[in-house]
Amino acid sequence: MKIKALIAFLAITTSVMAQDRKIDVESKVVTNHEVTIKGKRVPYSATVGTQPVWDNNGDPIATLFYTYYERTDVKDKDSRPLVISFNGGPGSASVWMHLAYTGPRILKIDDEGYPIQPYGVKDNPNSILDVADIVFVNPVNTGYSRITDPKANRSTFFGVRQDIAYLSEWVNTFVTRANRWSSPKYLIGESYGTTRVGGMAYELQNNQWMYLNGVILVSPTDMGIDRSGPVEAANRLPYFAATAWYHKQLPSDLQSKDLLEVLDEVESYAINKFIPVLAKGAWATESEKNDAIKMFARYSGLDEEIIRQHNLDVPYNFFWKDLLRHEGHTVGRLDSRYKGIDRMDAGMGPDFNAELTSWLHSFTPAINQYFMNELGYKTDIKYNMFGPVNPWDRSGDNSAESLRKAMAMNPYLKVMTQSGYYDGATTYFNAKYNMWQTDPSGKLKDRMSFKGYRSGHMMYLRAEDLAQSNEDIREFIKNSIPPAGTPAKY
């Protein structure tokens, strides 16, 4: 009997402990700090906590974990910009831009972005906190954000349109609680986060009646713009050229030129000559095909015979495997400066993403230590660098058109794109293509801008680009706030 009683007691205790491992629907911890940015002292508060997501009946069904940095020596909050920051995935936490880009504390890594030990964080002298307050938001199942109602339908959160809708509602509540309705407001999203913020710009205007001054697209996705067929194949070539240039795989005459000079040449070829040959397909003349194969090889660092075997349509995966195959290395997907080692050199694609394993190496210990030791937020919940968000409903992805409509309806709204030349997941040339195709009329193009950097998907991991990309955001914010009294009209 005693043994049975003990087993029952342990079962109950285990059940209670399991139930206790949950995130509070509402929580808040506030700490005060200071950082030196561009040589000037900036005092700030850091608020970490959770804020609910409610259903249509007003009952909490999930909670989102956020970190809010607010400069504390500013008297006029009405004119103080607020930047609302999202990462991507979908299913990715906000850790990346939070702890390596715009926030006041960043990773301890080397100047090219590689991990170093001991792990940890340091002050970010390039943070945009001098000119704007920032809130980093973790969508459901990322970071410490979780579904709290076991009866809640997962489809409420996990889809293009659903994600945009509930996050816009959440932002409305946050802005109200923080008393920031009068502030100029900005969305910044990275990778899938660009699909998110592109759609949110329109959703916030139309259903939350919240108007923005700017949207910043970091390493954007296709954002619902079709580019299948010849355009898709041709658009890969400038990225191939950038990566081949970095690894010194181009002919000497190209290798001796600056990267941007090479890319100007390759972009012109891709648009003006390569697409027409691809469009002709089997009806291209033998001479046209042979010339295209030679130019592709010249710009990509790949062998002509391989390009011929692919019918001029070389997949990314094969390129990452083949470019340095002769050296026994692969190149990274999200940042092709990184090298990997496979089990064998043969094959059609790399065994793993060399850059992502490197990033997780440095980010994961740093973010966990940072919340606990510096910001005082303690929980037994696991911080999901990548969380379970599948199946993800990808129908209705029309975020570029949503962004265009938001811009058309709001004369204040400006858009800036930031891309790394060595990003093979969301390439810089596809980002340019997005910008060109978002508004084919050209009526909005004076409010769109593009910035390129000599790094990859997370261009800010490279010290030189960290400084420049933050400065580009700083200038974008300053330039997108109209002089007092300027009417929003055409």
Side-chain angles (χ1 to χ4, degrees), residues 67-138:
T67 308
Y68 176 38
Y69 296 106
E70 188 176 18
R71 185 168 179 170
T72 53
D73 63 348
V74 174
K75 295 180 180 179
D76 181 12
K77 288 290 182 181
D78 287 348
S79 60
R80 173 80 172 162
L82 174 66
V83 175
I84 304 162
S85 181
F86 296 93
N87 272 97
S92 174
S94 70
V95 56
W96 314 102
M97 290 199 292
H98 181 179
L99 214 56
Y101 194 6
T102 56
R105 299 281 277 167
I106 54 172
L107 289 178
K108 290 180 180 177
I109 49 180
D110 81 350
D111 285 349
E112 291 298 317
Y114 291 90
I116 58 174
Q117 290 183 331
Y119 303 114
V121 295
K122 60 184 179 180
D123 282 348
N124 182 4
N126 301 292
S127 170
I128 62 170
L129 190 57
D130 59 331
V131 298
D133 296 332
I134 318 165
V135 57
F136 295 93
V137 186
N138 295 272

Side-chain angles (χ1 to χ4, degrees), residues 275-286:
I275 290 177
V277 174
L278 291 171
K280 291 181 182 179
W283 267 251
T285 67
E286 204 58 34

Side-chain angles (χ1 to χ4, degrees), residues 380-392:
D380 286 335
I381 296 294
K382 180 174 71 174
Y383 188 90
N384 282 342
M385 304 293 283
F386 298 101
V389 299
N390 291 317
W392 188 268

Side-chain angles (χ1 to χ4, degrees), residues 80-340:
R80 173 80 172 162
L82 174 66
V83 175
I84 304 162
S85 181
F86 296 93
N87 272 97
S92 174
S94 70
V95 56
W96 314 102
M97 290 199 292
H98 181 179
L99 214 56
Y101 194 6
T102 56
R105 299 281 277 167
I106 54 172
L107 289 178
K108 290 180 180 177
I109 49 180
D110 81 350
D111 285 349
E112 291 298 317
Y114 291 90
I116 58 174
Q117 290 183 331
Y119 303 114
V121 295
K122 60 184 179 180
D123 282 348
N124 182 4
N126 301 292
S127 170
I128 62 170
L129 190 57
D130 59 331
V131 298
D133 296 332
I134 318 165
V135 57
F136 295 93
V137 186
N138 295 272
V140 168
N141 278 3
T142 73
Y144 295 134
S145 300
R146 296 292 189 272
I147 297 172
T148 56
D149 182 354
K151 297 180 181 178
N153 192 330
R154 290 171 62 89
S155 64
T156 303
F157 312 103
F158 303 145
V160 175
R161 293 166 297 171
Q162 301 93 313
D163 181 76
I164 288 167
Y166 90 82
L167 287 173
S168 296
E169 180 76 23
W170 189 95
V171 165
N172 183 310
T173 302
F174 177 84
V175 169
T176 299
R177 289 184 174 189
N179 194 20
R180 301 303 297 267
W181 272 96
S182 296
S183 298
K185 288 175 280 294
Y186 297 81
L187 298 179
I188 181 171
E190 179 180 80
S191 196
Y192 183 82
T194 59
T195 296
R196 179 174 286 139
V197 300
M200 286 180 69
Y202 182 72
E203 177 74 12
L204 285 169
Q205 284 186 190
N206 271 36
N207 291 317
Q208 305 297 333
W209 312 290
M210 182 183 294
Y211 286 72
L212 305 172
N213 281 67
V215 174
I216 302 163
L217 307 173
V218 180
S219 304
T221 62
D222 291 351
M223 297 183 68
I225 295 174
D226 179 61
R227 66 202 73 207
S228 56
V231 170
E232 180 181 22
N235 279 9
R236 298 179 197 134
L237 189 55
Y239 155 72
F240 288 171
T243 300
W245 182 91
Y246 178 82
H247 290 289
K248 296 180 171 53
Q249 299 300 307
L250 296 182
S252 59
D253 64 314
L254 291 177
Q255 204 65 59
S256 65
K257 296 180 180 179
D258 181 70
L259 172 65
L260 299 188
E261 189 178 356
V262 172
L263 294 184
D264 283 345
E265 181 179 327
V266 180
E267 289 179 23
S268 177
Y269 173 77
I271 294 171
N272 298 315
K273 296 183 179 180
F274 193 33
I275 290 177
V277 174
L278 291 171
K280 291 181 182 179
W283 267 251
T285 67
E286 204 58 34
S287 174
E288 288 173 325
K289 287 181 182 179
N290 289 335
D291 287 345
I293 288 168
K294 288 179 181 178
M295 293 305 292
F296 196 121
R298 171 174 166 79
Y299 291 140
S300 68
L302 302 180
D303 292 338
E304 289 186 21
E305 187 57 30
I306 286 172
I307 296 165
R308 185 183 303 278
Q309 290 167 356
H310 281 90
N311 296 324
L312 288 164
D313 188 2
V314 179
Y316 288 114
N317 212 44
F318 184 85
F319 176 80
W320 301 323
K321 179 74 173 183
D322 196 65
L323 180 68
L324 300 182
R325 195 192 300 262
H326 60 286
E327 295 181 4
H329 288 109
T330 61
V331 300
R333 170 177 173 263
L334 292 159
D335 191 330
S336 295
R337 297 176 302 148
Y338 291 71
K339 295 180 181 180

Side-chain angles (χ1 to χ4, degrees), residues 9-81:
F9 172 76
L10 289 173
I12 293 170
T13 303
T14 302
S15 176
V16 170
M17 289 176 66
Q19 290 173 3
D20 287 342
R21 191 183 182 190
K22 60 185 179 182
I23 197 78
D24 292 332
V25 174
E26 294 260 15
S27 63
K28 181 185 292 188
V29 177
V30 182
T31 52
N32 290 290
H33 314 264
E34 65 176 51
V35 62
T36 299
I37 300 173
K38 297 178 72 68
K40 295 182 179 179
R41 173 184 168 274
V42 176
Y44 66 94
S45 64
T47 302
V48 288
T50 50
Q51 177 186 293
V53 176
W54 292 281
D55 65 12
N56 292 333
N57 297 320
D59 297 320
I61 56 174
T63 191
L64 301 192
F65 181 76
Y66 68 92
T67 308
Y68 176 38
Y69 296 106
E70 188 176 18
R71 185 168 179 170
T72 53
D73 63 348
V74 174
K75 295 180 180 179
D76 181 12
K77 288 290 182 181
D78 287 348
S79 60
R80 173 80 172 162

